Amino acid sequence: MSTFGYKQENLSGLPEDPNNAPSQQPQQMGFFTKTAIHIIGAVAGAFTMFLGLFSCFSVQGLCILSGIYLMFLGFGLIVMEAPVCCKFWEVTDKLGQWSQALSPLIKAALYLLLPVAAFFMCIGVTQIFAILLVMGVGALYGIVFIGKKGDGVKVARQQHMLGSQGVTMAEMESQEKPPAYAPNQSAP
């Protein structure tokens, strides 16, 4: 609905035309969620680098290679999650800016798939712990991507009731609230 070239807001919460429903905008991460995941990712990257270094003190060649791979993976995790740490290097600055534009799905896929190579190179306690740290950050991004899905059924039910029965939102909300607790006053 527009008036004199200006678009008016729809305050009712319902689409103006049932055949032309408004498109959903992509859900953005909250500030605290994003900050918490960045901090967890930076700490996980530091531990992964330390565990990769510890893994290099081995006799087997593949375990040394796995340790080097884990150190690079930890450094990449720090660059992608805490680009402030490497802001003064031109290459890492570009990588940090690029990673900030990635969706949570792509970051989850990266953090869940990249550590698998270290697992196949050498199976040890330090490798498994480092791999689980990086995969944990990937799982957090996966949870952010999935988001809160519980309200979808409620919204669909509300749309169905509003569309077919002409029920108002106030009536809908009063139906969803549980009855108030009234103590049994007839007991002595």
Side-chain angles (χ1 to χ4, degrees):
M1 170 183 260
S2 80
T3 305
F4 300 112
Y6 295 103
K7 184 173 179 161
Q8 287 183 321
E9 292 183 25
N10 183 3
L11 300 176
S12 68
L14 298 173
E16 294 174 11
D17 184 7
N19 295 330
N20 189 12
S23 62
Q24 291 186 352
Q25 296 177 357
Q27 188 177 11
Q28 297 290 327
M29 265 194 293
F31 173 76
F32 293 112
T33 305
K34 185 188 300 187
T35 305
I37 292 177
H38 286 318
I39 290 171
I40 292 170
V43 170
F47 276 117
T48 302
M49 286 174 56
F50 174 73
L51 291 171
L53 180 66
F54 188 73
S55 214
C56 286
F57 297 119
S58 177
V59 180
Q60 297 176 346
L62 281 177
C63 288
I64 296 170
L65 186 64
S66 173
I68 294 170
Y69 180 73
L70 285 175
M71 285 192 292
F72 279 120
L73 189 63
F75 182 72
L77 190 62
I78 287 175
V79 168
M80 290 180 76
E81 293 303 317
V84 171
C85 295
C86 306
K87 193 84 169 162
F88 302 106
W89 294 338
E90 188 174 330
V91 175
T92 57
D93 185 36
K94 289 179 183 178
L95 182 64
Q97 289 175 358
W98 172 76
S99 71
Q100 296 302 314
L102 291 177
S103 72
L105 176 65
I106 294 173
K107 283 188 176 184
L110 281 174
Y111 296 153
L112 289 172
L113 295 177
L114 285 177
V116 175
F119 179 75
F120 288 120
M121 286 184 216
C122 181
I123 300 174
V125 177
T126 56
Q127 280 87 4
I128 290 174
F129 189 64
I131 289 166
L132 288 177
L133 283 172
V134 177
M135 286 186 162
V137 176
L140 288 175
Y141 274 113
I143 290 170
V144 166
F145 174 72
I146 291 171
K148 188 169 73 170
K149 296 291 183 182
D151 290 347
V153 175
K154 181 179 175 182
V155 170
R157 185 173 49 140
Q158 286 176 349
Q159 290 294 330
H160 176 70
M161 289 178 73
L162 287 173
S164 63
Q165 298 175 0
V167 178
T168 64
M169 288 299 282
E171 292 173 357
M172 176 88 60
E173 291 174 358
S174 68
Q175 291 175 358
E176 291 180 2
K177 292 180 183 175
Y181 175 74
N184 190 358
Q185 296 178 358
S186 64

